[in-house]
Amino acid sequence: MRNIVTSAALAAGLMATAATPAFAATELTMYYPVAVGGPLTEVIDGMIEGFEAENPDVKVNAIYAGNYDDTRLRAVSAIKSGDPAQLSVMFSIDVYDLIEQDLIVPFDDVVKTAEDKEWLKSFYPALMANGEVDGKTWGIPFQRSTIVMYYNKDMFREAGLDPEMPPQTWEELVTTGKALSKDGKWGLMVPSTGYPYWMFQCFAIQNGKELMSADGTETYFNDPAVVEALEFWRGLATEEKIMPEGTIEWGTLRQAFVQGQTAMMWHSTGNLSAVKREAQFDFGVAMLPKHKQPGSPTGGGNFYLFKDSTDEQKEASLALIKYMTAPERAAEWSIATGYVGVTPDAYETDALKAYVADFPPALVARDQLEVSVAEFSTYDTARVREGLNNAIQAALIGEKTPEEALGDAQSEAERLLRAFH
C-alpha cells in the first residue's frame, strides 16, 4: 500500500511539475556589448547565475559581442540567418532602426500584470526618453550614462586653483583651462572619435538647441546656435589653446587623463569606476559647464526584446530584464561600472547608499539627469549620425568651417529623412 501511495504521489508531483512552470525548458540567447571600461562580463555572468538559480527552467546564453555597433550587427545578422536571439542590450539610439526593420516588440505588448506595469514606470524619465516611440516603450534602461567632467584636483592645486570649484560655465572652462595648460600638459580634452555626435550634443544643448526633433524626423544642424556650438568646440583648440588641435581619440582618452596628459576630460560616467581604480592622484567629477543652460545627453544601452521569439521566451526575457534592473542589481551594476543606477529605488539600497557616502562622485551623473535630454537619434539614424560625425571632424581638423560642415550634414539629413515626413 505504501508503494502505491508513493507512486501515486510521485506521479502527481510529476504532473504538477509539468504543468506549473511558465518558463519550462526555455532557452534564451542574449547579445551584450562589452566595449566599455571594467571587467563587465564577470558582473553580468554573476547576474545570470543568480537569475538561473531562481528560475532553474530557464537557460541564458550570453554572447559578449564587442562594442555597440558590433553587437547590433551580430545580433541582427544572427536573426536574419535563422539563429535568432531573444533579447539584447544595444544602443538606446538604435530604437528607430530596430523598429524600421521590424525586429523588436514593445514591452507594452509583453507586460501583463499590474506589477509589470508599475515596473515600467519605475525608471528615471530621462533614461526612458530614447526608448519611448509613438507612445510605446521599446527599450528598457540598463547600461546608461551621462557625460561628466573628470578633473585632476592635484593639477588644480598646482595651478593655484580651488580643487573644489570646477568650472561651471563656458567662460570658466576657458579661464580654468588656460591656467592648467602648461608644461606640455593640456587643460582639457574632449574626445572627437568614436562618438563625436554625442560630445557635440553637449555643446549644442548648453547653447540652447537640440539637434533633432522629438519624433526623430528632423535635424537642426545648421541652426545658428548649433553652428556657434561647434565654433566654440573648435575654438578651444585653435583660439584658446587649452586643447590639442585635430581629433582626440575616444578609446585612449581615459589613459591620457590618468597619466596626467590633461587636467580635465569630458567622458562617459561609464568610465568612473575605471578612473577610480587607475588614477594615482586626487580627482573630482563635476556636471558639465553650462552656457545658456546646463545639459548633457543621456547615453548607453537599453534592453530590447526581439520579435522572432515564442511567447514563453518573451515572458522569460521579461523576467530576466526585471531581475537585472531590480534595485539590488542596478546598484551592483552602478558600483561596478560607474553607470547610473537606472531607478530611484537603486539609490535606496544599502549597498549604493554606503558607496555614494564614501564616494560622492558616483552621484554626479545621477544628479545631472535633471538637466539631461535624449541622446541624438532619428530615423535612418546610422546614416544621419555618420553625416554629423563627418561634419564635426571636418570642422575640428580645419577641413571645413563649422558652418559649411554642418550645412552639408543638414542637407544630407533632410534628404535621408524626407521619406519619414
Side-chain angles (χ1 to χ4, degrees):
M1 182 66 181
R2 183 174 182 275
N3 287 340
I4 294 173
V5 171
T6 301
S7 298
L10 178 60
L14 289 173
M15 290 177 66
T17 301
T20 298
F23 311 140
T26 301
E27 189 162 346
L28 303 176
T29 296
M30 176 179 75
Y31 279 82
Y32 198 92
V34 290
V36 288
L40 302 183
T41 58
E42 294 178 11
V43 183
I44 297 298
D45 286 342
M47 290 185 184
I48 291 173
E49 289 173 8
F51 174 78
E52 289 179 334
E54 292 187 12
N55 301 272
D57 294 317
V58 181
K59 169 67 177 173
V60 181
N61 302 308
I63 298 177
Y64 300 111
N67 64 26
Y68 281 112
D69 289 335
D70 294 337
T71 301
R72 183 184 66 251
L73 289 172
R74 288 188 60 182
V76 172
S77 296
I79 291 170
K80 293 186 175 180
S81 64
D83 186 19
Q86 284 69 52
L87 71 161
S88 179
V89 171
M90 293 187 286
F91 256 146
S92 63
I93 58 175
D94 286 333
V95 63
Y96 288 112
D97 275 348
L98 295 170
I99 293 172
E100 285 177 65
Q101 296 186 62
D102 197 26
L103 294 176
I104 57 175
V105 293
F107 282 80
D108 313 73
D109 292 355
V110 181
V111 300
K112 296 175 180 174
T113 67
E115 179 190 347
D116 289 345
K117 293 174 183 176
E118 283 302 308
W119 169 75
L120 275 182
K121 300 176 184 176
S122 67
F123 299 89
Y124 283 107
L127 299 180
M128 292 294 284
N130 276 108
E132 295 176 334
V133 176
D134 293 336
K136 292 191 174 183
T137 301
W138 301 82
I140 291 295
F142 181 67
Q143 181 168 290
R144 299 302 303 275
S145 59
T146 64
I147 299 166
V148 296
M149 183 166 64
Y150 299 81
Y151 66 102
N152 184 323
K153 290 187 176 182
D154 287 350
M155 292 176 73
F156 269 55
R157 292 187 184 94
E158 292 167 6
L161 300 170
D162 185 345
E164 304 307 322
M165 291 292 292
Q168 297 182 28
T169 66
W170 281 11
E171 291 76 15
E172 292 178 7
L173 182 70
V174 171
T175 56
T176 302
K178 287 183 176 179
L180 292 162
S181 298
K182 58 184 180 180
D183 302 327
K185 298 176 181 176
W186 294 100
L188 172 69
M189 289 189 186
V190 178
S192 46
T193 66
Y195 312 99
Y197 73 93
W198 196 38
M199 290 291 153
F200 180 53
Q201 197 179 357
C202 300
F203 291 106
I205 295 166
Q206 292 157 13
N207 207 33
K209 188 64 182 178
E210 286 271 17
L211 294 177
M212 76 292 186
S213 60
D215 63 1
T217 62
E218 294 182 66
T219 59
Y220 310 120
F221 300 156
N222 59 350
D223 183 278
V226 176
V227 174
E228 186 180 61
L230 186 51
E231 289 172 343
F232 176 73
W233 185 1
R234 182 169 186 264
L236 293 173
T238 59
E239 298 176 20
E240 309 299 350
K241 307 294 184 185
I242 67 172
M243 195 166 66
E245 290 195 31
T247 56
I248 295 173
E249 289 294 325
W250 165 275
T252 58
L253 179 52
R254 190 181 80 221
Q255 285 71 36
F257 177 71
V258 299
Q259 291 169 3
Q261 297 175 31
T262 181
M264 299 182 286
M265 73 166 180
W266 291 12
H267 220 300
S268 166
T269 189
N271 273 303
L272 178 58
S273 295
V275 171
K276 185 171 183 279
R277 286 194 305 270
E278 297 168 3
Q280 300 299 309
F281 50 80
D282 189 12
F283 77 94
V285 178
M287 294 187 193
L288 298 180
K290 66 180 181 181
H291 188 47
K292 295 177 181 175
Q293 63 186 38
S296 165
T298 61
N302 279 349
F303 274 113
Y304 296 98
L305 295 173
F306 289 119
K307 188 174 185 178
D308 189 14
S309 305
T310 66
D311 289 344
E312 289 74 18
Q313 288 172 326
K314 291 187 180 78
E315 190 174 351
S317 297
L318 178 65
L320 174 61
I321 295 169
K322 288 179 64 178
Y323 180 89
M324 292 182 68
T325 56
E328 294 77 12
R329 261 73 69 185
E332 177 187 2
W333 185 243
S334 180
I335 294 168
T337 61
Y339 283 107
V340 178
V342 290
T343 63
D345 286 346
Y347 290 90
E348 297 300 320
T349 61
D350 291 341
L352 200 45
K353 279 183 178 178
Y355 184 69
V356 301
D358 182 60
F359 186 52
L363 285 173
V364 174
R366 188 280 306 265
D367 293 345
Q368 195 169 236
L369 288 175
E370 292 290 331
V371 294
S372 295
V373 302
E375 186 176 358
F376 177 77
S377 181
T378 66
Y379 284 97
D380 207 347
T381 196
R383 291 198 291 175
V384 173
R385 187 174 68 235
E386 184 63 18
L388 178 59
N389 284 341
N390 291 339
I392 294 166
Q393 292 183 337
L396 292 178
I397 65 175
E399 189 175 276
K400 294 181 180 179
T401 67
E403 184 175 14
E404 291 170 341
L406 291 171
D408 292 345
Q410 177 65 22
S411 297
E412 179 64 7
E414 289 175 357
R415 186 186 69 78
L416 294 170
L417 293 174
R418 196 168 297 138
F420 301 98
H421 287 176

